[in-house]
Amino acid sequence: MADEQENQQPAAADTNTRGQFEIQKIYVKNISLESPSSPQIFREQWRPSVHMDIANSADELGDNLYEVTLSVTATVSHEEKTIYLVEVQQAGIFLMADFPREIIGRMVATVCPNIMFPFVREIVSDLVTRAGFPQLLLTPVNFDALYLQHQQKVAAEKEQTH
């Protein structure tokens, strides 16, 4: 009898509107590595500086499916010279059903990039190493904080126009 009651409780909880989130596919959309200073750079002493740009975009595919693309560009340079530049576009197809539009927007900007970023880190590390350079491990990114900053910026711009 206790088992019957336990089995009934989740069913009752399911009567509330719940969204459904599933990863359908994770894939590389584009990869690029440029090493404009090689082979000379391998003979020099250098102290690299790393600059990273991150962006993401989403396209609605229909049937509650969204393609989310995380674009990461890492530029490693010494003084004025680019040692290498690596670009990765990691994409995923995600099912997001029965969520309010604003929740989907937040998921596209936070949850999906959090899922894809470890793939990007691995690709960047592998490409850089294969190009003959020391391993580059990208710093973890707080996509929730980036989303919040973006929302605050949008709200501030909205206030200025009114």
Side-chain angles (χ1 to χ4, degrees):
M1 183 131 193
D3 288 337
E4 287 178 23
Q5 287 178 345
E6 286 178 20
N7 289 339
Q8 289 176 358
Q9 285 178 338
D14 285 344
T15 60
N16 295 336
T17 304
R18 284 187 170 172
Q20 180 181 4
F21 178 84
E22 292 178 13
I23 302 169
Q24 301 293 305
K25 186 98 176 144
I26 301 287
Y27 55 98
V28 174
K29 198 163 186 168
N30 189 16
I31 296 176
S32 171
L33 182 123
E34 297 174 27
S35 177
S37 300
S38 62
Q40 298 84 0
I41 198 68
F42 295 122
R43 301 186 60 165
E44 297 177 16
Q45 291 286 335
W46 40 274
R47 294 182 194 266
S49 64
V50 179
H51 177 78
M52 185 169 71
D53 291 313
I54 296 179
N56 71 322
S57 61
D59 292 314
E60 192 169 348
L61 303 175
D63 297 327
N64 298 312
L65 293 174
Y66 297 82
E67 179 193 48
V68 179
T69 304
L70 177 62
S71 301
V72 175
T73 302
T75 306
V76 176
S77 56
H78 173 69
E79 297 172 354
E80 301 278 323
K81 190 184 293 185
T82 298
I83 298 169
Y84 63 85
L85 175 121
V86 61
E87 295 177 305
V88 177
Q89 287 184 336
Q90 185 72 45
I93 299 175
F94 300 90
L95 173 71
M96 292 181 251
D98 301 323
F99 289 106
R101 182 61 86 196
E102 61 273 3
I103 298 297
I104 289 176
R106 184 178 186 106
M107 291 172 70
V108 159
T110 61
V111 174
C112 298
N114 274 320
I115 291 168
M116 293 186 294
F117 192 71
F119 292 93
V120 171
R121 287 182 75 189
E122 181 180 4
I123 291 168
V124 167
S125 177
D126 187 51
L127 281 174
V128 168
T129 303
R130 288 176 183 265
F133 297 102
Q135 184 181 38
L136 175 65
L137 295 175
L138 298 179
T139 305
V141 176
N142 185 338
F143 289 101
D144 292 307
L146 291 176
Y147 178 75
L148 184 60
Q149 287 173 356
H150 175 74
Q151 292 300 98
Q152 290 170 343
K153 181 181 173 187
V154 168
E157 289 173 358
K158 211 177 213 183
E159 284 182 20
Q160 289 178 350
T161 60
H162 291 287

